[in-house]
Amino acid sequence: MEKNRIKTLNFVTGLARLLAEHTQLSEDALMMAVETPPDSKMGHFAFPCFELAKTWKKAPPMIAAELAAKIDATKPGWLGQAIATGPYVNFFLDRTAFATAVLLEVLEAGAEYGASDEGEGKSVLIDFSSPNIAKHFHIGHLGTTIIGKVLDNIYRFLGYEVTGINHLGDWGTQFGKLITAYLKWGSEEEIIKTEIDGLVKLYVKFHEEADNDPSLNDQAREWVVKMQNGDEEGLRIWKWFCEISMNEFDRIYDRLGITFDLFRGESYYSGKLADDVAESLAAKGLLQESGGAQIVDLEEWKMAPCMILRKDGGTLYPTRDIAAAIDRYETFKFDKCLYVTGNEQSLHFAQWFKVVELMGYPWAEGLEHVPYGMYLFEGGKLSTRRGDVIKIEDLLEETVAKTLAIINEKNPNLSNKEHVAEQVGIGALKFNKLYNSRIKDTVFNWDRMLNFEGETGPYVQYTHARACSVIRKALREDSNLDFGTMGLAMISGATFDPSLLADDEPFEVLRMIHDFPTKVRDSAEKYEPFIIARQLVAVAQAYNAFYHKHQILVDHEPTRRARLVLTSAVRQVLKTGLSLLGISAPVVM
């Protein structure tokens, strides 16, 4: 059996090699052409013959019949059958060989199954989360935080050198407003007592008062200019506000399991670096005056002008973003720099990306905006201006509380229930965002999100815990089983009989496991975590179908062993996949 073994990721390579022998097409082109039918009964892989009709001067069904006959006559041991179905050649793998290849690869790779070194020598920067100082960490920042960290995890898994950056919103007009409000209506004692709640109240009060007294906006802009010029009082207050905010952010990041390699806010780029950008643009003849402000005209590219300097000489978001990008390339020499922000910022990024390109920087092609849809709650978009936000801390508390209530109902005797509720509740919150394409809006539905039987995070986590439970029971019943140091590692595959996994249900599980590495790569290429999330659901669904139809811990030792090896592989893939999504994999639920 070993001589016919092909690494699972090379099944398509093997098919491409076979097809190349008979078509004279390149293996690379053929690998791109090979498809996976939606139903395995149609074949495990398929090759469409339409393109060959041009050169072979034959109808596609005739070509398919000819190719199928030639390949089937000389097929290798891992290929069960090649048959023609209309214009397609459908390939059926040998189930025993397939089971051997997939399970031995998972056994050998363990937690590294699906990982690669394809990113070796390449640098990826991921700019994500970026909450605003002096405002609550609210639901509007949850999407970027979750998606950004998943992309961070995936690229590291694929061997890239990754730098996760939190570009804090710690500069700009809002701080002029806040300082103005603090000096007029606030007190140090009150802010010490109320912390970020007090800062938010001051910010809201400023806007209420400014509606009746527009001069307050002028005062706020004056404070921004003062800070840019190094005003000691303004900078002292600003630094204090930053410290208050970071205390809250750190607490939330710790609970979400989010880490960064670099915290660097807009303020870092507001001085000389931003001035250098303006000077460089002027030197290149790209700056134009418009109503007293300085802009880069982008009409040729059907975009509104990119504002670089305000009338008062103050910098703007694009100025600081351009300065940050230049500094990041000089520091990290990145191949890609991803910006994970809301879809509503797409124009902003398109504008300043174009400006960087016009400045003549060849690395501009590595700048990528990764937009995502909004969180919607009861049909409304959320705003910080009037204070009507859903704070992340409140959301986490409610999610975990609802999860604990479900656990108390389903498994009241579970030990460490609070810890499991934290894992499952926060996992459900993340999975709810990750299960669909990132560009789609996410609407909260508590019942659906916390459903242990739907296409949800709790469902995948529960399947992982089920696999762990089967393995624990096997350990109790047979002390000779080799499970590794933790008792839940892969069972040694040295003696299992893969022919005992040829039934439809276990074979479907194997297919889903086999596809996992490809889904990881697709997810990285398309910046789409949902590809992994949905594959985990597919693995869980296939395993549960197998679990309900086939008893695992049967008396027949070879069958028991084979099914335990499959269970171990499922456990490993679910654990790895959940880890990539930043979600815990509880061993009991």
Side-chain angles (χ1 to χ4, degrees):
M1 188 66 67
E2 182 65 23
K3 65 182 179 181
N4 289 325
R5 182 181 171 215
I6 296 179
K7 289 282 188 179
T8 59
L9 289 180
N10 290 333
F11 275 114
V12 175
T13 302
L15 289 175
R17 190 175 301 124
L18 286 175
L19 288 165
E21 293 175 6
H22 300 286
T23 64
Q24 307 309 311
L25 297 176
S26 72
E27 289 186 21
D28 287 343
L30 288 165
M31 286 183 66
M32 296 295 293
V34 171
E35 301 175 359
T36 301
D39 187 342
S40 61
K41 293 179 180 178
M42 300 168 61
H44 305 134
F45 298 101
F47 174 68
C49 298
F50 303 104
E51 289 298 319
L52 288 176
K54 300 174 184 178
T55 55
W56 285 34
K57 309 295 185 185
K58 297 179 182 179
M62 294 180 63
I63 298 172
E66 184 177 332
L67 276 177
K70 289 180 178 179
I71 292 173
D72 199 56
T74 58
K75 63 180 181 290
W78 52 267
L79 182 60
Q81 190 178 20
I83 63 172
T85 304
Y88 288 86
V89 179
N90 289 337
F91 299 96
F92 291 85
L93 301 174
D94 179 90
R95 292 193 173 196
T96 299
F98 185 72
T100 303
V102 173
L103 291 175
L104 289 185
E105 187 172 347
V106 181
L107 282 164
E108 290 176 3
E112 294 300 307
Y113 179 67
S116 77
D117 58 1
E118 65 186 55
E120 186 175 355
K122 297 179 182 178
S123 173
V124 175
L125 272 59
I126 305 178
D127 180 321
F128 66 104
S129 194
S130 307
N132 294 312
I133 295 296
K135 295 182 181 178
H136 285 296
F137 196 124
H138 62 80
I139 195 171
H141 290 102
L142 188 57
T144 172
T145 304
I146 293 172
I147 294 171
K149 189 58 182 177
V150 173
L151 294 177
D152 183 304
N153 294 338
I154 293 170
Y155 275 100
R156 291 179 196 271
F157 194 62
L158 296 179
Y160 290 83
E161 182 179 349
V162 180
T163 304
I165 301 176
N166 195 333
H167 187 71
L168 296 164
D170 66 350
W171 202 251
T173 305
Q174 67 266 33
F175 292 98
K177 296 177 179 179
L178 196 56
I179 291 173
T180 300
Y182 171 70
L183 294 176
K184 285 184 174 296
W185 308 297
S187 70
E188 181 176 354
E189 180 182 3
E190 181 65 18
I191 296 302
I192 291 174
K193 177 182 176 183
T194 59
E195 298 183 319
I196 201 165
D197 283 332
L199 297 180
V200 171
K201 288 180 180 179
L202 285 175
Y203 188 73
V204 171
K205 183 174 179 61
F206 177 91
H207 282 282
E208 292 173 346
E209 296 293 334
D211 286 342
N212 299 316
D213 183 4
S215 69
L216 289 171
N217 290 312
D218 295 330
Q219 295 176 44
R221 284 189 285 270
E222 289 173 5
W223 269 112
V224 174
V225 175
K226 286 182 181 179
M227 291 169 63
Q228 289 176 340
N229 294 329
D231 182 87
E232 291 185 5
E233 182 183 17
L235 291 176
R236 177 187 63 80
I237 297 172
W238 166 77
K239 288 178 182 178
W240 178 40
F241 291 169
C242 289
E243 291 172 2
I244 291 171
S245 299
M246 285 308 302
N247 288 335
E248 176 175 307
F249 298 164
D250 287 343
R251 186 170 64 249
I252 293 169
Y253 287 136
D254 183 62
R255 195 169 184 186
L256 288 172
I258 305 292
T259 58
F260 300 88
D261 299 296
L262 181 65
F263 283 87
R264 184 167 287 173
E266 291 181 84
S267 60
Y268 182 84
Y269 306 102
S270 67
K272 183 178 183 303
L273 292 176
D275 292 339
D276 289 346
V277 168
E279 291 174 8
S280 178
L281 287 168
K284 295 175 185 294
L286 294 170
L287 270 190
Q288 297 181 18
E289 190 272 338
S290 177
Q294 297 293 313
I295 67 165
V296 175
D297 185 11
L298 299 177
E299 183 178 2
E300 181 180 345
W301 295 275
K302 296 181 172 55
M303 286 187 282
C306 183
M307 298 283 291
I308 301 299
L309 295 174
R310 295 196 306 262
K311 293 180 183 180
D312 58 14
T315 61
L316 295 120
Y317 287 122
T319 328
R320 298 190 288 270
D321 280 339
I322 293 168
I326 294 171
D327 179 68
R328 289 172 183 179
Y329 186 77
E330 291 176 350
T331 304
F332 298 101
K333 297 297 186 291
F334 59 77
D335 295 278
K336 287 185 179 182
C337 185
L338 309 182
Y339 294 82
V340 185
T341 75
N343 185 48
E344 65 273 14
Q345 295 189 40
S346 293
L347 176 60
H348 164 75
F349 283 95
Q351 286 175 312
W352 76 259
F353 283 1
K354 176 56 69 174
V355 173
V356 173
E357 180 186 330
L358 294 174
M359 294 174 78
Y361 291 112
W363 47 263
E365 64 183 18
L367 301 173
E368 294 274 359
H369 180 219
V370 182
Y372 62 90
M374 296 182 295
Y375 272 99
L376 299 179
F377 199 87
E378 297 181 345
K381 180 181 177 180
L382 302 169
S383 165
T384 56
R385 178 165 178 167
R386 300 296 179 187
D388 55 340
V389 301
I390 295 177
K391 296 190 292 183
I392 292 299
E393 279 196 306
D394 293 342
L395 190 63
L396 294 178
E397 288 296 331
E398 186 168 359
T399 302
V400 172
K402 288 178 178 292
T403 306
L404 182 59
I406 294 172
I407 292 174
N408 280 327
E409 178 184 344
K410 290 180 175 291
N411 192 2
N413 297 321
L414 177 68
S415 61
N416 207 10
K417 286 185 289 187
E418 289 76 12
H419 177 65
V420 175
E422 184 84 5
Q423 290 180 309
V424 175
I426 292 178
L429 190 66
K430 292 181 178 181
F431 201 91
N432 188 48
K433 183 64 178 175
L434 299 172
Y435 188 65
N436 293 307
S437 174
R438 57 179 159 75
I439 206 66
K440 290 187 176 181
D441 292 340
T442 301
V443 179
F444 271 94
N445 182 309
W446 294 107
D447 292 338
R448 183 171 62 245
M449 188 173 82
L450 296 174
N451 189 341
F452 281 59
E453 298 178 358
E455 298 176 357
T456 64
Y459 174 72
V460 176
Q461 289 175 310
Y462 184 76
T463 305
H464 175 268
R466 166 172 279 169
C468 291
S469 176
V470 170
I471 294 172
R472 280 196 302 274
K473 186 175 180 181
L475 274 174
R476 290 195 298 268
E477 294 178 357
D478 187 351
S479 60
N480 294 320
L481 286 175
D482 174 16
F483 282 83
T485 56
M486 295 301 293
L488 290 176
M490 294 292 294
I491 300 174
S492 169
T495 60
F496 81 96
D497 182 353
S499 67
L500 298 172
L501 298 173
D503 291 337
D504 288 346
E505 291 78 20
F507 184 74
E508 188 65 16
V509 178
L510 289 164
R511 282 209 319 133
M512 296 303 104
I513 293 174
H514 162 268
D515 290 346
F516 177 73
T518 301
K519 299 300 183 181
V520 173
R521 284 157 183 78
D522 287 348
S523 189
E525 180 181 340
K526 298 171 183 176
Y527 315 130
E528 284 284 16
F530 90 89
I531 296 174
I532 293 176
R534 296 206 170 195
Q535 190 62 21
L536 294 183
V537 169
V539 172
Q541 289 174 332
Y543 179 73
N544 285 318
F546 160 71
Y547 175 89
H548 289 297
K549 186 165 183 179
H550 300 276
Q551 184 180 347
I552 296 174
L553 302 182
V554 295
D555 292 334
H556 185 248
E557 178 57 29
T559 300
R560 177 188 180 95
R561 164 69 63 154
R563 291 175 181 175
L564 277 171
V565 170
L566 181 62
T567 296
S568 293
V570 168
R571 184 208 65 84
Q572 182 60 72
V573 170
L574 293 181
K575 181 178 175 64
T576 299
L578 286 169
S579 177
L580 290 175
L581 299 182
I583 296 173
S584 299
V587 297
V588 292
M589 281 178 64

